[in-house]
mmCIF file of all heavy atoms in Angstrom:
data_model
loop_
_atom_site.group_PDB
_atom_site.id
_atom_site.type_symbol
_atom_site.label_atom_id
_atom_site.label_comp_id
_atom_site.label_asym_id
_atom_site.label_seq_id
_atom_site.Cartn_x
_atom_site.Cartn_y
_atom_site.Cartn_z
ATOM 1 N N THR A 1 -11.869 -1.746 10.914
ATOM 2 C CA THR A 1 -11.728 -0.296 10.938
ATOM 3 C C THR A 1 -12.892 0.318 10.170
ATOM 4 O O THR A 1 -13.686 -0.396 9.562
ATOM 5 C CB THR A 1 -10.415 0.163 10.285
ATOM 6 O OG1 THR A 1 -10.430 -0.217 8.902
ATOM 7 C CG2 THR A 1 -9.204 -0.444 10.969
ATOM 8 N N ILE A 2 -12.961 1.638 10.193
ATOM 9 C CA ILE A 2 -13.934 2.326 9.353
ATOM 10 C C ILE A 2 -13.245 2.550 8.014
ATOM 11 O O ILE A 2 -12.491 3.512 7.843
ATOM 12 C CB ILE A 2 -14.406 3.634 9.987
ATOM 13 C CG1 ILE A 2 -15.018 3.358 11.360
ATOM 14 C CG2 ILE A 2 -15.417 4.323 9.077
ATOM 15 C CD1 ILE A 2 -15.415 4.606 12.120
ATOM 16 N N PHE A 3 -13.481 1.650 7.108
ATOM 17 C CA PHE A 3 -12.723 1.592 5.852
ATOM 18 C C PHE A 3 -12.756 2.927 5.112
ATOM 19 O O PHE A 3 -11.743 3.353 4.559
ATOM 20 C CB PHE A 3 -13.295 0.486 4.971
ATOM 21 C CG PHE A 3 -12.591 0.304 3.663
ATOM 22 C CD1 PHE A 3 -11.393 -0.391 3.600
ATOM 23 C CD2 PHE A 3 -13.110 0.831 2.490
ATOM 24 C CE1 PHE A 3 -10.730 -0.566 2.391
ATOM 25 C CE2 PHE A 3 -12.466 0.649 1.272
ATOM 26 C CZ PHE A 3 -11.268 -0.041 1.228
ATOM 27 N N SER A 4 -13.887 3.583 5.111
ATOM 28 C CA SER A 4 -14.028 4.826 4.345
ATOM 29 C C SER A 4 -13.161 5.954 4.895
ATOM 30 O O SER A 4 -12.967 6.962 4.215
ATOM 31 C CB SER A 4 -15.487 5.267 4.321
ATOM 32 O OG SER A 4 -15.944 5.500 5.644
ATOM 33 N N MET A 5 -12.621 5.778 6.089
ATOM 34 C CA MET A 5 -11.771 6.777 6.711
ATOM 35 C C MET A 5 -10.288 6.425 6.623
ATOM 36 O O MET A 5 -9.458 7.083 7.257
ATOM 37 C CB MET A 5 -12.171 6.980 8.171
ATOM 38 C CG MET A 5 -13.556 7.583 8.351
ATOM 39 S SD MET A 5 -14.020 7.726 10.076
ATOM 40 C CE MET A 5 -12.761 8.857 10.662
ATOM 41 N N ALA A 6 -9.964 5.398 5.877
ATOM 42 C CA ALA A 6 -8.585 4.925 5.800
ATOM 43 C C ALA A 6 -7.974 5.207 4.436
ATOM 44 O O ALA A 6 -8.641 5.085 3.409
ATOM 45 C CB ALA A 6 -8.532 3.436 6.086
ATOM 46 N N THR A 7 -6.702 5.567 4.448
ATOM 47 C CA THR A 7 -5.920 5.595 3.222
ATOM 48 C C THR A 7 -5.422 4.181 2.964
ATOM 49 O O THR A 7 -4.870 3.544 3.858
ATOM 50 C CB THR A 7 -4.734 6.552 3.340
ATOM 51 O OG1 THR A 7 -5.225 7.893 3.402
ATOM 52 C CG2 THR A 7 -3.799 6.416 2.150
ATOM 53 N N MET A 8 -5.628 3.717 1.752
ATOM 54 C CA MET A 8 -5.254 2.348 1.399
ATOM 55 C C MET A 8 -4.123 2.357 0.389
ATOM 56 O O MET A 8 -3.998 3.296 -0.416
ATOM 57 C CB MET A 8 -6.449 1.606 0.816
ATOM 58 C CG MET A 8 -7.659 1.541 1.732
ATOM 59 S SD MET A 8 -7.308 0.688 3.280
ATOM 60 C CE MET A 8 -6.885 -0.960 2.692
ATOM 61 N N GLY A 9 -3.329 1.319 0.433
ATOM 62 C CA GLY A 9 -2.222 1.257 -0.505
ATOM 63 C C GLY A 9 -1.813 -0.159 -0.834
ATOM 64 O O GLY A 9 -2.237 -1.117 -0.168
ATOM 65 N N TRP A 10 -1.026 -0.257 -1.874
ATOM 66 C CA TRP A 10 -0.401 -1.523 -2.267
ATOM 67 C C TRP A 10 1.104 -1.327 -2.297
ATOM 68 O O TRP A 10 1.596 -0.324 -2.830
ATOM 69 C CB TRP A 10 -0.887 -1.970 -3.643
ATOM 70 C CG TRP A 10 -2.291 -2.461 -3.662
ATOM 71 C CD1 TRP A 10 -3.417 -1.745 -3.986
ATOM 72 C CD2 TRP A 10 -2.745 -3.787 -3.355
ATOM 73 N NE1 TRP A 10 -4.536 -2.537 -3.885
ATOM 74 C CE2 TRP A 10 -4.140 -3.796 -3.502
ATOM 75 C CE3 TRP A 10 -2.105 -4.964 -2.960
ATOM 76 C CZ2 TRP A 10 -4.907 -4.945 -3.276
ATOM 77 C CZ3 TRP A 10 -2.860 -6.094 -2.731
ATOM 78 C CH2 TRP A 10 -4.246 -6.084 -2.893
ATOM 79 N N TYR A 11 1.805 -2.267 -1.719
ATOM 80 C CA TYR A 11 3.252 -2.324 -1.751
ATOM 81 C C TYR A 11 3.653 -3.672 -2.351
ATOM 82 O O TYR A 11 2.841 -4.591 -2.449
ATOM 83 C CB TYR A 11 3.825 -2.210 -0.333
ATOM 84 C CG TYR A 11 3.735 -0.844 0.282
ATOM 85 C CD1 TYR A 11 2.508 -0.289 0.637
ATOM 86 C CD2 TYR A 11 4.882 -0.094 0.525
ATOM 87 C CE1 TYR A 11 2.431 0.972 1.199
ATOM 88 C CE2 TYR A 11 4.817 1.164 1.092
ATOM 89 C CZ TYR A 11 3.585 1.687 1.438
ATOM 90 O OH TYR A 11 3.512 2.935 2.001
ATOM 91 N N ARG A 12 4.920 -3.765 -2.711
ATOM 92 C CA ARG A 12 5.407 -5.049 -3.199
ATOM 93 C C ARG A 12 6.851 -5.266 -2.759
ATOM 94 O O ARG A 12 7.583 -4.308 -2.516
ATOM 95 C CB ARG A 12 5.292 -5.154 -4.716
ATOM 96 C CG ARG A 12 6.185 -4.206 -5.487
ATOM 97 C CD ARG A 12 5.882 -4.296 -6.991
ATOM 98 N NE ARG A 12 6.739 -3.415 -7.773
ATOM 99 C CZ ARG A 12 6.604 -3.205 -9.083
ATOM 100 N NH1 ARG A 12 5.626 -3.827 -9.760
ATOM 101 N NH2 ARG A 12 7.413 -2.399 -9.727
ATOM 102 N N GLN A 13 7.209 -6.534 -2.685
ATOM 103 C CA GLN A 13 8.576 -6.882 -2.312
ATOM 104 C C GLN A 13 9.032 -8.047 -3.175
ATOM 105 O O GLN A 13 8.453 -9.138 -3.123
ATOM 106 C CB GLN A 13 8.663 -7.252 -0.832
ATOM 107 C CG GLN A 13 10.084 -7.453 -0.348
ATOM 108 C CD GLN A 13 10.183 -7.501 1.165
ATOM 109 O OE1 GLN A 13 9.195 -7.710 1.865
ATOM 110 N NE2 GLN A 13 11.378 -7.286 1.687
ATOM 111 N N ALA A 14 10.053 -7.772 -3.949
ATOM 112 C CA ALA A 14 10.665 -8.797 -4.786
ATOM 113 C C ALA A 14 11.778 -9.490 -4.002
ATOM 114 O O ALA A 14 12.320 -8.920 -3.052
ATOM 115 C CB ALA A 14 11.224 -8.173 -6.054
ATOM 116 N N PRO A 15 12.148 -10.707 -4.388
ATOM 117 C CA PRO A 15 13.202 -11.429 -3.670
ATOM 118 C C PRO A 15 14.489 -10.626 -3.613
ATOM 119 O O PRO A 15 14.955 -10.107 -4.638
ATOM 120 C CB PRO A 15 13.373 -12.702 -4.499
ATOM 121 C CG PRO A 15 12.062 -12.897 -5.165
ATOM 122 C CD PRO A 15 11.545 -11.519 -5.455
ATOM 123 N N GLY A 16 15.042 -10.491 -2.426
ATOM 124 C CA GLY A 16 16.300 -9.784 -2.255
ATOM 125 C C GLY A 16 16.204 -8.272 -2.306
ATOM 126 O O GLY A 16 17.226 -7.588 -2.274
ATOM 127 N N LYS A 17 14.982 -7.756 -2.384
ATOM 128 C CA LYS A 17 14.801 -6.297 -2.466
ATOM 129 C C LYS A 17 13.940 -5.802 -1.310
ATOM 130 O O LYS A 17 13.230 -6.574 -0.664
ATOM 131 C CB LYS A 17 14.169 -5.920 -3.802
ATOM 132 C CG LYS A 17 15.039 -6.207 -5.005
ATOM 133 C CD LYS A 17 14.433 -5.614 -6.260
ATOM 134 C CE LYS A 17 15.344 -5.819 -7.463
ATOM 135 N NZ LYS A 17 14.774 -5.204 -8.700
ATOM 136 N N GLN A 18 14.013 -4.494 -1.105
ATOM 137 C CA GLN A 18 13.186 -3.892 -0.067
ATOM 138 C C GLN A 18 11.741 -3.750 -0.550
ATOM 139 O O GLN A 18 11.479 -3.670 -1.750
ATOM 140 C CB GLN A 18 13.741 -2.514 0.301
ATOM 141 C CG GLN A 18 15.041 -2.555 1.092
ATOM 142 C CD GLN A 18 15.427 -1.185 1.613
ATOM 143 O OE1 GLN A 18 15.119 -0.163 1.011
ATOM 144 N NE2 GLN A 18 16.112 -1.162 2.750
ATOM 145 N N ARG A 19 10.843 -3.710 0.413
ATOM 146 C CA ARG A 19 9.440 -3.464 0.083
ATOM 147 C C ARG A 19 9.315 -2.053 -0.467
ATOM 148 O O ARG A 19 9.893 -1.104 0.073
ATOM 149 C CB ARG A 19 8.567 -3.636 1.327
ATOM 150 C CG ARG A 19 7.083 -3.667 1.049
ATOM 151 C CD ARG A 19 6.290 -4.030 2.298
ATOM 152 N NE ARG A 19 6.627 -5.365 2.778
ATOM 153 C CZ ARG A 19 5.933 -5.967 3.755
ATOM 154 N NH1 ARG A 19 4.907 -5.359 4.335
ATOM 155 N NH2 ARG A 19 6.298 -7.175 4.145
ATOM 156 N N GLU A 20 8.533 -1.904 -1.537
ATOM 157 C CA GLU A 20 8.378 -0.601 -2.165
ATOM 158 C C GLU A 20 6.901 -0.280 -2.385
ATOM 159 O O GLU A 20 6.067 -1.169 -2.574
ATOM 160 C CB GLU A 20 9.109 -0.559 -3.515
ATOM 161 C CG GLU A 20 8.582 -1.516 -4.552
ATOM 162 C CD GLU A 20 9.274 -1.365 -5.911
ATOM 163 O OE1 GLU A 20 10.189 -0.546 -6.032
ATOM 164 O OE2 GLU A 20 8.864 -2.083 -6.844
ATOM 165 N N LEU A 21 6.639 1.019 -2.366
ATOM 166 C CA LEU A 21 5.282 1.501 -2.589
ATOM 167 C C LEU A 21 4.911 1.340 -4.058
ATOM 168 O O LEU A 21 5.699 1.681 -4.945
ATOM 169 C CB LEU A 21 5.183 2.971 -2.183
ATOM 170 C CG LEU A 21 3.881 3.691 -2.493
ATOM 171 C CD1 LEU A 21 2.738 3.084 -1.706
ATOM 172 C CD2 LEU A 21 4.024 5.174 -2.175
ATOM 173 N N VAL A 22 3.716 0.838 -4.301
ATOM 174 C CA VAL A 22 3.203 0.709 -5.663
ATOM 175 C C VAL A 22 2.170 1.800 -5.937
ATOM 176 O O VAL A 22 2.275 2.537 -6.915
ATOM 177 C CB VAL A 22 2.573 -0.671 -5.880
ATOM 178 C CG1 VAL A 22 1.943 -0.763 -7.261
ATOM 179 C CG2 VAL A 22 3.614 -1.776 -5.691
ATOM 180 N N ALA A 23 1.162 1.903 -5.075
ATOM 181 C CA ALA A 23 0.091 2.878 -5.291
ATOM 182 C C ALA A 23 -0.660 3.102 -3.994
ATOM 183 O O ALA A 23 -0.695 2.219 -3.127
ATOM 184 C CB ALA A 23 -0.878 2.380 -6.364
ATOM 185 N N THR A 24 -1.254 4.294 -3.875
ATOM 186 C CA THR A 24 -2.110 4.592 -2.736
ATOM 187 C C THR A 24 -3.370 5.300 -3.212
ATOM 188 O O THR A 24 -3.392 5.916 -4.292
ATOM 189 C CB THR A 24 -1.422 5.491 -1.697
ATOM 190 O OG1 THR A 24 -1.069 6.729 -2.320
ATOM 191 C CG2 THR A 24 -0.187 4.832 -1.120
ATOM 192 N N ILE A 25 -4.401 5.219 -2.369
ATOM 193 C CA ILE A 25 -5.649 5.926 -2.636
ATOM 194 C C ILE A 25 -6.174 6.469 -1.314
ATOM 195 O O ILE A 25 -6.282 5.733 -0.323
ATOM 196 C CB ILE A 25 -6.676 5.019 -3.353
ATOM 197 C CG1 ILE A 25 -7.933 5.809 -3.728
ATOM 198 C CG2 ILE A 25 -7.010 3.777 -2.529
ATOM 199 C CD1 ILE A 25 -8.817 5.078 -4.739
ATOM 200 N N THR A 26 -6.498 7.750 -1.301
ATOM 201 C CA THR A 26 -6.941 8.402 -0.070
ATOM 202 C C THR A 26 -8.456 8.258 0.094
ATOM 203 O O THR A 26 -9.154 7.715 -0.764
ATOM 204 C CB THR A 26 -6.575 9.887 -0.081
ATOM 205 O OG1 THR A 26 -7.374 10.550 -1.077
ATOM 206 C CG2 THR A 26 -5.104 10.088 -0.390
ATOM 207 N N ILE A 27 -8.935 8.838 1.207
ATOM 208 C CA ILE A 27 -10.382 8.777 1.466
ATOM 209 C C ILE A 27 -11.159 9.626 0.469
ATOM 210 O O ILE A 27 -12.361 9.413 0.282
ATOM 211 C CB ILE A 27 -10.694 9.198 2.907
ATOM 212 C CG1 ILE A 27 -10.246 10.636 3.177
ATOM 213 C CG2 ILE A 27 -10.047 8.239 3.907
ATOM 214 C CD1 ILE A 27 -10.650 11.153 4.552
#
């Protein structure tokens, strides 16, 4: 992709739990 045009983020999922948002960074 054109990386500079993408919003990037980190999520995490612990055992037995739903995936959750950790952090995001926009263009």
Side-chain angles (χ1 to χ4, degrees):
T1 63
I2 302 175
F3 181 79
S4 60
M5 294 177 62
T7 291
M8 302 299 298
W10 288 96
Y11 287 68
R12 66 186 181 187
Q13 187 167 18
K17 295 189 176 182
Q18 288 189 330
R19 191 172 298 189
E20 63 176 2
L21 173 64
V22 176
T24 60
I25 185 165
T26 69
I27 61 175

